[in-house]
Amino acid sequence: MNKGISDLNLDQEDIHTDFKKEMTYGEYLRLDQILSSQERLSGHHDEMLFIIIHQVSELWMKLTLHELTAAITAIDKGEMQSAFKKLARVTKIQSQIIQAWDVLSTMTPAEYLEFRDSLGKASGFQSYQYRLIEFALGYKSSHILKIYEKDAEVHAMLKDALNQPSIYDVAIRALSKAGFAINPELLDRDFSVTYAGDPTVEAAWEAVYRDVDKYWDLYQLAEKLVDVEDWLQQWRFRHMKTVERIIGFKTGTGGSSGVNYLRHVLDHRFFPELWDLRTKL
């Protein structure tokens, strides 16, 4: 027989039940705000799934940015162990976001069509947190800022992030601080431009991988960066296949080319030398 709450109280007398003057779990998490934020515009059953998947993904992206930003600061200060912990957490977060596509893929094309028009021109393509993650990893695109002009605060946030060094920029600085002959133009470059690769960086990373014991921290940093990019590309791939499964090759609600756009971004590499050296070693 299952125990009721009265029986539990007899077994665990220290359980608090009077919260008239105390903060509750729901109040701490502001669940009233969170759980009232799933408003279906169409009233269709599956729109609830669509909204929650995207809201949860945005929460995970918020935590990803929290960790990436702290990792960038830690690397720049030479606090590598702290950075490693944060980057390890990022990859675990990424695994959660990837699995979200499995839940969304339970929705069929016919079900999505029932409420797709309710989205208007709103699209995941417009996620500003996803753009901030791309910027933090080094993929910069100034033309994309026009999408966010409606919200001055978000626009300013993105413009500032566009001009900040990415995690790979501070990793290159770390190589320079370790004594490697890095092209000086890279250390104070225009960070709003996507990094495209440099022979001095390639030579430095190759030296790190050929003498792991001597450069253990830099070697660990490189592998943590590869982990993050690997998981991000897996997320992108699952995104592409889920979109293809549900809408095929239709244009996205935000006007993007949909699957074709998602295929294109799969070709981008955030940390090119860390992938190229695997062939050279």
Side-chain angles (χ1 to χ4, degrees):
M1 182 176 177
N2 293 329
K3 291 185 176 183
I5 189 168
S6 60
D7 296 321
L8 285 173
N9 287 339
L10 291 174
D11 295 338
Q12 303 176 45
E13 294 180 357
D14 292 334
I15 289 179
H16 295 287
T17 57
D18 185 358
F19 285 93
K20 293 184 179 67
K21 296 181 180 180
E22 300 288 343
M23 178 177 63
T24 65
Y25 168 82
E27 289 169 336
Y28 173 69
L29 294 178
R30 300 186 181 181
L31 291 181
D32 57 336
Q33 296 177 37
I34 294 173
L35 299 179
S36 62
S37 298
Q38 295 76 43
E39 184 177 345
R40 292 176 291 163
L41 298 182
S42 69
H44 189 271
H45 176 84
D46 279 15
E47 191 179 356
M48 182 66 74
L49 164 66
F50 189 83
I51 293 170
I52 289 177
I53 287 292
H54 287 84
Q55 287 182 340
V56 168
S57 294
E58 289 291 337
L59 285 172
W60 281 129
M61 282 191 273
K62 181 173 184 176
L63 184 55
T64 295
L65 285 165
H66 181 68
E67 301 298 338
L68 277 179
T69 302
I72 290 171
T73 300
I75 293 166
D76 219 20
K77 290 181 178 179
E79 299 170 356
M80 293 298 188
Q81 293 303 316
S82 175
F84 298 159
K85 174 64 182 294
K86 292 170 177 60
L87 291 176
R89 182 174 291 162
V90 167
T91 59
K92 294 298 184 182
I93 296 167
Q94 289 172 307
S95 71
Q96 295 297 311
I97 298 179
I98 290 169
Q99 290 178 21
W101 295 121
D102 294 336
V103 183
L104 187 59
S105 66
T106 64
M107 184 171 62
T108 68
E111 289 164 342
Y112 182 50
L113 282 175
E114 291 290 332
F115 65 87
R116 188 177 192 238
D117 288 346
S118 299
L119 275 62
K121 291 181 172 59
S123 167
F125 181 81
Q126 298 148 16
S127 169
Y128 72 84
Q129 289 199 121
Y130 178 71
R131 298 301 168 193
L132 288 171
I133 290 172
E134 285 190 328
F135 289 1
L137 296 178
Y139 185 45
K140 306 294 182 75
S141 49
S142 58
H143 68 278
I144 207 76
L145 296 186
K146 187 170 180 60
I147 293 174
Y148 307 98
E149 289 178 347
K150 181 178 181 179
D151 189 324
E153 185 177 348
V154 168
H155 187 268
M157 185 193 314
L158 283 160
K159 190 173 182 180
D160 179 64
L162 181 74
N163 292 284
Q164 294 300 317
S166 71
I167 197 165
Y168 201 50
D169 288 314
V170 296
I172 292 171
R173 282 181 188 171
L175 289 170
S176 178
K177 291 174 184 177
F180 289 102
I182 299 297
N183 179 357
E185 293 181 3
L186 297 178
L187 305 177
D188 191 26
R189 69 183 189 88
D190 180 357
F191 296 120
S192 70
V193 177
T194 299
Y195 174 78
D198 187 274
T200 62
V201 175
E202 183 179 16
W205 283 127
E206 184 176 349
V208 167
Y209 274 74
R210 292 193 183 279
D211 196 345
V212 170
D213 291 338
K214 182 177 180 180
Y215 300 112
W216 180 247
D217 276 357
L218 289 170
Y219 171 70
Q220 283 189 289
L221 173 60
E223 286 298 294
K224 287 287 189 288
L225 293 177
V226 169
D227 285 344
V228 169
E229 178 165 353
D230 188 352
W231 280 102
L232 182 67
Q233 293 294 56
Q234 291 185 53
W235 180 88
R236 282 174 160 178
F237 179 79
R238 288 295 297 124
H239 184 188
M240 179 194 72
K241 295 307 292 183
T242 303
V243 170
E244 184 178 358
R245 175 173 177 157
I246 296 174
I247 68 167
F249 286 81
K250 290 186 181 74
T251 300
T253 51
S256 75
S257 58
V259 170
N260 288 326
Y261 168 78
L262 296 172
R263 281 183 174 174
H264 172 72
V265 297
L266 278 170
D267 292 332
H268 175 76
R269 296 188 301 171
F270 293 91
F271 318 128
E273 292 89 358
L274 295 181
W275 295 100
D276 289 341
L277 70 81
R278 281 157 163 76
T279 304
K280 297 188 66 175
L281 289 175

